[in-house]
């Protein structure tokens, strides 16, 4: 069974920078896993942020960026805003099927 | 404006069946893969299934294989999820999403499996 692992929680100060990562139990994450990132706030549906590793959606703020880092997919928030406090999920492709990570709860404090 | 509206959720007994629908508008439905994603109460997101534009390819998470069937009607701009042999662990909000990367999401429909 494939497992995608994210940090359970992270804390960042307003204006700071934070990197969330996404690892695969099958090995290094590459562009062939087409990493996607989503943001979800309480009581709301998820919102897509990044697709295919580093491509922003038209509504994604410039402070969000995606990359590959040390064998993992990564989401970096630069100049964090209070409204960025949310749960973040990555999604990886496994030849037809997809698997979400367990999510990272980001606290802005 | 892209809109996805799920319906069909509700309370069902273990072993029962339910059919979820997702009505799509604001885009050319037949040009996109479509996906179902679920979220159990207080838990994370779980990818459930997706279907190719013409319905010729379908993929499922292992836990629903043989019980759930994804389908679509491009003439009606609708996506479906037929859920049979439901279990308590299928209790979740079910979302439909546009594309394999789910760029747009509906607001979800709650399925509760309980006696």
């Amino acid at each position: 069974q494939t497992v995608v692992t994210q940090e359970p929680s992270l804390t960042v100060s307003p204006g700071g920078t934070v990197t969330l990562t996404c690892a695969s139990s099958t090995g290094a994450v590459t562009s062939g896993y087409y990493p996607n990132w989503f943001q979800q706030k309480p009581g709301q549906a998820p919102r897509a942020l990044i697709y295919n590793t580093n491509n922003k959606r038209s509504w994604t703020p410039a402070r969000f960026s995606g990359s590959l880092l040390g064998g993992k997919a990564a989401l970096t928030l630069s100049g964090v805003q209070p409204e960025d406090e949310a749960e973040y999920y990555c999604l990886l492709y496994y030849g037809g099927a997809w698997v979400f990570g367990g999510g990272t709860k980001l606290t802005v404090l | 404006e892209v809109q996805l509206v799920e319906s069909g959720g509700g309370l069902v007994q273990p072993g029962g069946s339910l059919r979820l629908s997702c009505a799509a508008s604001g885009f050319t439905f037949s040009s996109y893969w479509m996906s179902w994603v679920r979220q159990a109460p207080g838990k994370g997101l779980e990818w459930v299934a997706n279907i190719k534009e013409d319905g010729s390819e379908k993929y499922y998470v292992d836990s629903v294989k043989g019980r759930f069937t994804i389908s679509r009607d491009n003439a009606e701009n609708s996506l479906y999820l037929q859920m049979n042999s439901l279990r308590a662990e299928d209790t979740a909000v079910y979302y439909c999403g546009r594309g394999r990367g789910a760029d747009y999401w509906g607001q979800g429909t709650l399925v509760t499996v309980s006696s």
Side-chain angles (χ1 to χ4, degrees), chain B residues 101-112:
Chain B
D103 57 354
Y104 286 90
W105 297 61
Q107 283 305 302
T109 186
L110 176 62
V111 172
T112 303

Side-chain angles (χ1 to χ4, degrees), chain B residues 40-79:
Chain B
K43 302 296 184 183
L45 301 175
E46 181 179 37
W47 178 85
V48 175
N50 64 13
I51 184 169
K52 195 176 179 180
E53 295 93 332
D54 61 359
S56 61
E57 293 181 39
K58 304 175 185 182
Y59 299 93
Y60 300 91
V61 66
D62 285 349
S63 60
V64 309
K65 283 179 182 176
R67 300 189 300 123
F68 289 13
T69 301
I70 189 172
S71 63
R72 64 191 297 161
D73 184 337
N74 287 343
E76 295 293 327
N77 293 333
S78 293
L79 175 72

Side-chain angles (χ1 to χ4, degrees), chain A residues 36 38 40 44-46 48 57 59 89 96-98 100, chain B residues 39 44-45 47 50 59 95 100-106:
Chain A
N36 281 257
F38 300 85
Q40 187 179 34
Q44 296 183 15
R57 300 293 179 181
W59 51 81
Y89 296 92
W98 294 75
F100 278 100
Chain B
Q39 187 168 35
L45 301 175
W47 178 85
N50 64 13
Y59 299 93
Y95 296 100
R100 285 183 283 187
D103 57 354
Y104 286 90
W105 297 61

Side-chain angles (χ1 to χ4, degrees), chain B residues 7 31 34-35 38 50 56-57 71 77 99 101 106 115:
Chain B
S7 60
S31 296
M34 294 296 294
S35 302
R38 66 184 178 183
N50 64 13
S56 61
E57 293 181 39
S71 63
N77 293 333
S115 54

Side-chain angles (χ1 to χ4, degrees), chain B residues 12-13 15-19 82-86:
Chain B
V12 61
Q13 292 189 338
S17 298
L18 215 52
R19 189 196 197 205
Q82 177 67 43
M83 304 186 296
N84 298 331
S85 304
L86 282 161

